[in-house]
Amino acid sequence: MIKKFIRRILGTTPKTPKPAENTEPLVFGPEAHGIDLDDVSSNAIRVTETLQRAGFEAFIVGGAVRDLVLGHKPKDFDVATDATPDEVKRLFRRAFIIGRRFQIVHVMFGQDLIEVTTFRGSSSKEAPKDEHGRVLRDNTFGEQHEDAERRDFTINAMYYDPDREEILDYHGGMQDIRNRTLRIIGVPEERYREDPVRLLRVVRFAAKLGFTIAPATRAPIAVMAPLINNVPAARVFDEMLKLLMSGHALACLKQLRKEGLHHGLLPLLDVVLEQPLGERFVTLALANTDERIGQGKSVSPGFLFASLLWHQVLEKWNAYRAAGEYPIPALHLAADDVLDGQTEKLALQRRIATDMRDIWAMQPRFERRTGKAPYKLLEHPRLRAGYDFLLLRCASGEIDEELGDWWTDFMESDGPARETLLNRKPDEGSSAAPKRRRRRGGSGRSKNEGHSGE
Ligand code: ATP
Ligand code: MG
């Protein structure tokens, strides 16, 4: 306590962090961590203040602290406290206890959600596990230092008290941030075994933050990769979605490849990264996604997964057609095959699968450029997504750019100009406008439109 007090007064850190049992944190004052209170969510501060005034400990924790120290804008704010879920709920007007196994409290302020968790205890040694060592249930409450020990990476295990403007750092997270190092807490093999999703999280954070993975954290990854197969599909899906929507999806996929994680990790990734034809398409799709997220725009998971699996669909579509099936039924058969093959491992939600199928099913309809067909397609509720997808197919070299250009023109024109386009033969179009190459990252139209918000 005295040491902590002195450090608090000085607002500095001792030269060498004390790893020992990690029950006492290093304490960093405002000069050391550099967090500007204006960057902290006022709702998160309301939650910590309310809890503290009621006599509890309360801190902003996890990704938000890491991002604030790094000068990034946090995605969301989580709070950790020694109050039990019931005690938390009583203090707020709109608070809901969710989760059966490990209860957390959602405190709502309008649309804004602050997730409040009670410090978890360090009982994972005794916790029930599956035959591969994956922890099935582990729901005891505990001390703050135990809570810190159960978090995944040192940089994710820091606690920020907005009132004192102090960071409590139990595992050398501040130093790792300074050195741009991603380091798992505890014995890496044990931590991956307890929860193999952490293998994906390493990759996501390393790619997203541009951090180097500490050698001991990195060494077991490739060997332990098959453990992912024992994780419930819904959790893998959630983590994959976070990875793909991180704004650094391309970097993440490259990192997965570098770590040897794409093999056998997920059928999806095997498919994505191993097919030369599809690689360009996927690269363009992800670059486009990253760009949209970087600009603060939304991205639809359906579009993303439709892109990732398109070349698998294409291959099967061609096979069914070669076997004599008509194009449209052939495409539906191909979509069925691909979706059936993925859902077992990936738990694609029905809504997402429906979006994917819509986007795919629209593709042959873009080829019909006469009569009423193009007008009917204009009314399709997912037209934007289908059209963006068409542009990606053009940009990747799968189909002639002329088709995408024609649709861009058709969508941007009005009555008479549309009729002219309908009467134009496809080859006239391509020779008439060969140099009108628009920059294709999947978009030949104004930047603030998109498939995703629909
Ligand atoms: P992001 O900015 O991407 O949301 P995050 O660090 O906030 O990153 P979350 O998945 O929101 O990531 O998790 C919040 C915190 O919960 C993490 O910072 C970490 O401390 C802890 N955590 C999450 N998942 C795990 C896990 N699988 N094992 C251990 N700790 C975890
Ligand atoms: Mg988070």
Side-chain angles (χ1 to χ4, degrees), residues 224-253:
M224 303 193 83
L227 289 177
I228 286 276
N229 294 323
N230 312 317
V231 177
R235 266 204 83 207
V236 176
F237 178 78
D238 282 351
E239 201 53 43
M240 277 298 297
L241 201 55
K242 280 191 188 176
L243 190 145
L244 294 168
M245 309 267 254
S246 65
H248 303 266
L250 254 186
C252 284
L253 283 203

Side-chain angles (χ1 to χ4, degrees), residues 62-64 66 75-78 201 242:
R66 173 198 73 219
K75 237 178 31 214
D76 39 44
F77 284 81
D78 298 331
R201 292 176 63 86
K242 280 191 188 176

Side-chain angles (χ1 to χ4, degrees), residues 350-368:
R350 192 189 294 269
R351 186 179 52 81
I352 296 178
T354 306
D355 282 356
M356 293 164 72
R357 193 187 285 280
D358 276 357
I359 291 168
W360 292 336
M362 244 185 278
Q363 298 310 307
R365 296 180 59 187
F366 284 112
E367 282 165 31
R368 299 178 56 197

